[in-house]
Amino acid sequence: METPGNPTTIVYRLREALARVSTVIRADDWERAKRAGINPTQLAIIELLDGRKGGLGVKDIAAHLGVSQPTATDSIGALERKGFVEKRAIAGDRRAVVVALTASGKAVLDVDAMTSGAADQAVRALAAEEQDGLLLTLIRLIRALQEADAIPIQRMCASCRYFAPFAHPRAARPHHCRFVDAAFGQRELRIDCRDHETADPASRAATWEAFQAG
Ligand code: SF4
């Protein structure tokens, strides 16, 4: 019998815990998608395209969602038929297209933002310092997954060319965003910022080192 004195590894148990949370988030996503008359993959595509004015190619969409290109293509087709996304030609390349959100697609998210699922409520119930710690831990996990090429680069501050970590070392809001030229705190670190621009690999590494050191 498994006892506290003979546990599975911490990595295994953390994976179990993340899987449980992920199950609830997936169930929440089904509810949110149902309200919009779409499925969770289609909702994920709409969320991914939100704020990406230049759109994304099918290959990038598939990589971000962790699905095959045929699956992404099917979902994009369904969204296009509903008028939530449109395909646009890329200037100078007759064969290449990007997929972009339409005003109707954007409206899906505006309606959706008015609700919150069980996972949101559970996170909201955590103490502020627990939320801060969880955010930092998740940023580290996401970055490690990026470095391992398990997921594409996300639009996080940690990979952004505008991010100056601990530019104001002793202030309550220690970081600086050069895009809006303003200081911000740990709690405001972004996971998916619309204004993000990916820094080059050397700058990303230096920024991460400064962030960790702070
Ligand atoms: S532009 Fe966005 S991602 Fe970049 S540093 Fe500013 S807040 Fe962070």
Side-chain angles (χ1 to χ4, degrees), residues 45 48-49 55-65 67-77 87 90 96-99:
I45 291 173
L48 179 66
L49 294 175
L56 275 180
V58 175
K59 192 174 163 197
D60 287 334
I61 291 173
H64 272 280
L65 266 53
V67 299
S68 67
Q69 283 195 49
T71 299
T73 301
D74 285 350
S75 297
I76 291 163
K87 291 196 182 121
I90 297 177
V97 292
V98 291
V99 182

Side-chain angles (χ1 to χ4, degrees), residues 36-211:
I38 54 182
N39 68 35
T41 303
Q42 293 164 7
L43 177 62
I45 291 173
I46 288 177
E47 287 177 332
L48 179 66
L49 294 175
D50 183 34
R52 295 182 199 265
K53 294 189 183 71
L56 275 180
V58 175
K59 192 174 163 197
D60 287 334
I61 291 173
H64 272 280
L65 266 53
V67 299
S68 67
Q69 283 195 49
T71 299
T73 301
D74 285 350
S75 297
I76 291 163
L79 288 171
E80 198 178 12
R81 287 191 290 280
K82 289 174 197 284
F84 293 155
V85 302
E86 63 187 8
K87 291 196 182 121
R88 295 181 192 154
I90 297 177
D93 187 342
R94 277 190 299 132
R95 284 182 306 171
V97 292
V98 291
V99 182
L101 209 54
T102 62
S104 304
K106 175 84 180 152
V108 168
L109 292 177
D110 291 343
V111 172
D112 181 69
M114 290 189 288
T115 60
S116 80
D120 301 300
Q121 288 170 29
V123 172
R124 201 168 289 125
L126 294 174
E129 57 273 18
E130 290 174 319
Q131 292 173 344
D132 294 359
L134 184 57
L135 180 62
L136 276 181
T137 301
L138 290 172
I139 286 170
R140 290 197 179 100
L141 273 179
I142 293 167
R143 185 186 179 268
L145 291 169
Q146 286 176 178
E147 293 301 302
D149 281 334
I151 54 171
I153 297 219
Q154 305 297 302
R155 297 187 293 184
M156 300 199 299
C157 294
S159 59
C160 179
R161 65 188 286 256
Y162 298 117
F163 183 43
F166 297 101
H168 317 284
R170 279 170 291 284
R173 309 179 87 198
H175 308 307
H176 199 86
C177 171
R178 289 190 287 258
F179 183 78
V180 290
D181 192 21
F184 66 100
Q186 291 279 82
R187 282 178 78 77
E188 283 118 32
L189 285 164
R190 306 293 201 276
I191 299 293
D192 190 30
C193 175
R194 305 302 183 257
D195 302 315
H196 173 276
E197 281 186 35
T198 305
D200 62 73
S203 303
R204 282 206 306 276
T207 297
W208 183 251
E209 205 172 303
F211 181 60

